Amino acid sequence: AQKITQTQPGMFVQEKEAVTLDCTYDTSDPSYGLFWYKQPSSGEMIFLIYQGSYDQQNATEGRYSLNFQKARKSANLVISASQLGDSAMYFCAMRGSSDKIIFGKGTRLHILP
Amino acid sequence: DAGITQSPRYKITETGRQVTLMCHQTWSHSYMFWYRQDLGHGLRLIYYSAAADITDKGEVPDGYVVSRSKTENFPLTLESATRSQTSVYFCASSVLMNTEAFFGQGTRLTVV
């Protein structure tokens, strides 16, 4: 069975600092994908970044990077130079060979001015 | 408009009534998903579909029914609504297995 764990219910970070949101996963599938989504207070789900299990390098998208440690089964999201607009709920998700995408419980990030 | 749309955006219904939430996508994506979002639980998968006429249960399927007769539509039906089904429901779609899912705006359902 697949499982995603986000252990940080909430985080407070000073503006312009880097922030790491933790995500660990469990799967027996040899091939899988990992995703991060952002949900601002307006409610929409915004895709941020994707990492495939066979990708050799960590994924990056602008200020977002994914710290993928396969042996540890972790896929932490790193946001560099945080901004007030980064305040939101962040979800880690995984997709394995069964086609379904499952999500963690999320981390609420607060950026302080 | 292109994209994925859910209707209605807001719905209040009574316990025991049947209610259907609609989801329509214009991209011809193969995969479609239904999630519910509740405080403290994140997003939980209700049902998903890999193609027309192919559906499968997710993590919390009890009390829900889906169908997918056309690629672009994936309605979710609550056969006899209960208060525990009060939630925000999201529909999503994706092209392939190793690609991201695109989400609709969500439907806020209240069962009284």
Side-chain angles (χ1 to χ4, degrees):
Chain A
Q2 298 176 78
K3 187 177 180 181
I4 291 280
T5 303
Q6 294 182 254
T7 56
Q8 307 153 310
M11 286 186 69
F12 290 83
V13 173
Q14 209 68 41
E15 188 181 10
K16 298 180 184 177
E17 288 184 352
V19 56
T20 298
L21 305 180
D22 295 340
C23 173
T24 58
Y25 61 92
D26 191 21
T27 182
S28 56
D29 292 333
S31 177
Y32 51 89
L34 296 155
F35 307 83
W36 277 92
Y37 284 82
K38 173 183 179 181
Q39 187 181 42
S41 57
S42 51
E44 72 267 32
M45 293 289 290
I46 301 169
F47 166 73
L48 295 178
I49 196 166
Y50 166 81
Q51 178 85 41
S53 59
Y54 290 119
D55 292 343
Q56 295 297 315
Q57 296 194 334
N58 287 343
T60 60
E61 289 287 347
R63 293 186 301 112
Y64 303 108
S65 60
L66 201 152
N67 184 1
F68 181 48
Q69 297 188 40
K70 197 170 182 177
R72 290 186 169 187
K73 292 191 174 179
S74 75
N76 298 339
L77 177 70
V78 180
I79 306 174
S80 63
S82 58
Q83 303 170 356
L84 295 177
D86 294 331
S87 292
M89 195 76 169
Y90 289 81
F91 292 100
C92 180
M94 176 173 65
R95 188 169 196 175
S97 60
S98 64
D99 297 341
K100 59 187 177 184
I101 304 176
I102 61 165
F103 283 76
K105 294 185 178 181
T107 295
R108 184 166 294 281
L109 177 64
H110 304 270
I111 305 298
L112 304 172
Chain B
D1 288 352
I4 182 167
T5 55
Q6 295 182 233
S7 61
R9 292 293 311 279
Y10 304 91
K11 176 76 176 178
I12 300 174
T13 191
E14 293 179 339
T15 302
R17 288 194 180 266
Q18 182 180 81
V19 60
T20 296
L21 309 184
M22 304 301 294
C23 180
H24 174 78
Q25 51 106 353
T26 60
W27 295 305
S28 298
H29 284 175
S30 296
Y31 295 91
M32 295 189 76
F33 308 85
W34 273 108
Y35 294 90
R36 59 177 290 173
Q37 183 177 15
D38 305 287
L39 200 62
H41 291 278
L43 279 82
R44 291 181 291 177
L45 182 64
I46 305 171
Y47 270 95
Y48 63 106
S49 169
D53 297 322
I54 301 174
T55 62
D56 209 344
K57 295 179 180 179
E59 302 166 281
V60 289
D62 292 344
Y64 303 94
V65 175
V66 293
S67 62
R68 196 165 175 208
S69 57
K70 293 184 178 181
T71 299
E72 60 267 29
N73 296 324
F74 192 38
L76 176 73
T77 297
L78 288 67
E79 294 187 300
S80 178
T82 65
R83 290 195 181 88
S84 66
Q85 293 177 310
T86 292
S87 187
V88 177
Y89 291 85
F90 283 99
C91 178
S93 71
S94 74
V95 176
L96 301 170
M97 263 188 63
N98 58 347
T99 58
E100 73 273 23
F102 296 90
F103 280 78
Q105 324 94 299
T107 294
R108 183 173 293 276
L109 176 69
T110 303
V111 183
V112 297

